[in-house]
DNA sequence: TAGTGGTCTAGACCACAAC
DNA sequence: TTGTGGTCTAGACCACTAG
């Protein structure tokens, strides 16, 4: 782990633990860089990470402040996450959550999957269908495809827990970035069936391709969020 | 304009003008920083900007490449943009686009608006309703609120063209960042009326609050995109 | 004017990919 | 081994806010 990640983790944890309280002003970056024994550029990188995750707000000439948190149940009884933070588990730490695996098999990649995962015709992928529950309500339906030769040793137990935890900690693949596409759709049969909603109800569809550090695609997923109970939050910075 | 913005603009323009072709490898960052007479950190900042806008892909150990472009009509006849790029005009440069202003008035801010724009009770805001057309089809319905004492001198002509152009170039407010929330909803009466869709059709709702450089909110907007013709693309980088 | 974050430098070393 | 982007430094100066 790099220095700026370690520093960001430390500050993030202090915010989560309420040691830095909401709207509290943090020390200025020069002071912080002395505290953490790093240069100001490194300090800035750590802080910018927290800005993009929505933990803090920086204002030139004024200072840096802990930001009121998003999170489940904050707003109109909708659940929410930052698409910048990878993974369901890390977005809903500490909440009543459950995962049900509806399908776990190996299939030959179709044209769409070949294209998204940059495979060759005839290659095989894991095909995983999971439902995510929050407070016992089914909220998210995921259809995931992963190349069998990159994500080795996958099994149902892993899939019932955190895929990203497995990828990063067990098989030591580093995630680099992701392309995401968001659409609005009407519930299809799977949505009706698994998310317990009605025909025609709106859902958020997020399609994403996640890339590892060498820019090779490791996951292609189509994720459906219940429109009535989920929203995506993010922070856009004009650079 | 800062150096890294100037550099990014130059490279972006070359990509747009096809001087750097799709999938072409760009010179490495050290060479580029010599070419642009800047330090490598500055070069990196310029390039990272283009990564987050989706123009290029960087791979450690390999190099930097021009990325296949998104853009209107690329995929399933849906229009698409990067929410990281501010503004309709800059996202759809060169396309057949039109804006119809359906409402332009000044109202007293209600509780929601007071909250989002950090106003006091009784303050006034511009209330603007616009429909955006692409290739003569109504695609986007916007409801915009802006505080009258920050966005001075607004008039219907400005609103018919580019608001951001006016804000940045005429009244010289620098945009800093934005909070965005994405939801899926079913078409309401306005959507049916202005976007010419049917009751129950899905739409993407994007709510955003845009902040100027001193972190004061200058725009609160609720934007509806036709679900059948629009999608949002973005690039997420794991820092 | 003092305080704060933003930009920029010139260079060092590290991590990863390809040969 | 070479080429590439990523991290990190120690410090300078700039831009914006507040008193």
């Amino acid at each position: 782990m790099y220095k700026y990640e370690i520093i960001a983790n430390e500050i993030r944890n202090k915010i989560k633990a309420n040691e830095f309280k909401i709207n509290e002003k943090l020390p200025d970056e020069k002071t912080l860089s002395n505290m953490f024994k790093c240069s100001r550029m490194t300090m800035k990188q750590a802080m910018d990470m927290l800005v993009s995750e929505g933990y803090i707000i920086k204002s030139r000439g004024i200072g840096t402040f802990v930001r009121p948190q998003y999170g489940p149940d904050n707003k109109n009884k909708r659940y929410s996450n930052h698409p910048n933070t990878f993974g369901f588990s890390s977005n809903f730490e500490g909440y009543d959550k459950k995962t049900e695996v509806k399908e776990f098999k190996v299939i030959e990649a179709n044209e769409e999957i070949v294209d998204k995962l940059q495979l060759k015709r005839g290659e095989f992928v894991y095909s995983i269908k999971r439902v995510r529950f929050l407070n016992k309500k089914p909220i998210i339906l995921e259809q995931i495809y992963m190349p069998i030769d990159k994500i080795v040793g996958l099994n149902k137990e892993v899939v019932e827990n955190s895929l990203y935890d497995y990828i990063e900690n067990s098989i030591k693949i580093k995630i680099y970035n992701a392309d995401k596409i968001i659409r609005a759709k009407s519930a299809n049969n799977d949505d009706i069936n698994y998310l317990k909603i009605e025909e025609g109800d709106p859902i958020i569809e997020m399609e994403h391709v996640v890339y590892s550090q060498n820019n090779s695609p490791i996951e292609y997923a189509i994720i459906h969020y219940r429109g009535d109970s989920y929203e995506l939050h993010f922070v856009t910075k004009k650079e």
Side-chain angles (χ1 to χ4, degrees), chain A residues 132-156:
Chain A
R132 307 290 210 160
F133 292 76
L134 283 168
N135 294 328
K136 314 211 186 305
K137 262 180 65 181
I139 305 289
I140 306 170
L141 174 62
E142 302 174 322
Q143 173 61 56
I144 299 169
Y145 303 100
M146 295 180 143
I148 57 169
D149 56 352
K150 283 179 193 145
I151 313 299
V152 294
L154 207 57
N155 60 51
K156 208 176 170 187

Side-chain angles (χ1 to χ4, degrees), chain A residues 123-176:
Chain A
E123 285 194 84
F124 288 88
V125 292
Y126 290 107
S127 172
I128 302 155
K129 202 191 287 280
R130 301 194 293 189
V131 180
R132 307 290 210 160
F133 292 76
L134 283 168
N135 294 328
K136 314 211 186 305
K137 262 180 65 181
I139 305 289
I140 306 170
L141 174 62
E142 302 174 322
Q143 173 61 56
I144 299 169
Y145 303 100
M146 295 180 143
I148 57 169
D149 56 352
K150 283 179 193 145
I151 313 299
V152 294
L154 207 57
N155 60 51
K156 208 176 170 187
E157 205 203 323
V158 167
V159 172
E160 273 166 351
N161 295 289
S162 173
L163 264 175
Y164 281 97
D165 188 50
Y166 178 74
I167 289 170
E168 297 210 287
N169 299 321
S170 295
I171 56 176
K172 308 276 184 202
I173 292 179
K174 276 201 176 178
I175 289 160
Y176 178 62

Side-chain angles (χ1 to χ4, degrees), chain A residues 73-94:
Chain A
D73 301 315
N74 246 15
K75 189 88 191 170
N76 304 327
K77 296 190 208 99
R78 281 163 183 253
Y79 298 90
S80 58
N81 76 359
H82 258 280
N84 281 347
T85 311
F86 285 79
F88 176 80
S89 305
S90 64
N91 262 306
F92 294 100
E93 243 175 71

Side-chain angles (χ1 to χ4, degrees), chain A residues 6-20:
Chain A
I6 295 168
I7 295 170
N9 285 347
E10 200 161 320
I11 296 176
R12 192 191 300 105
N13 287 337
K14 285 196 174 165
I15 292 172
K16 282 185 179 173
N18 217 34
E19 280 180 58
F20 290 138

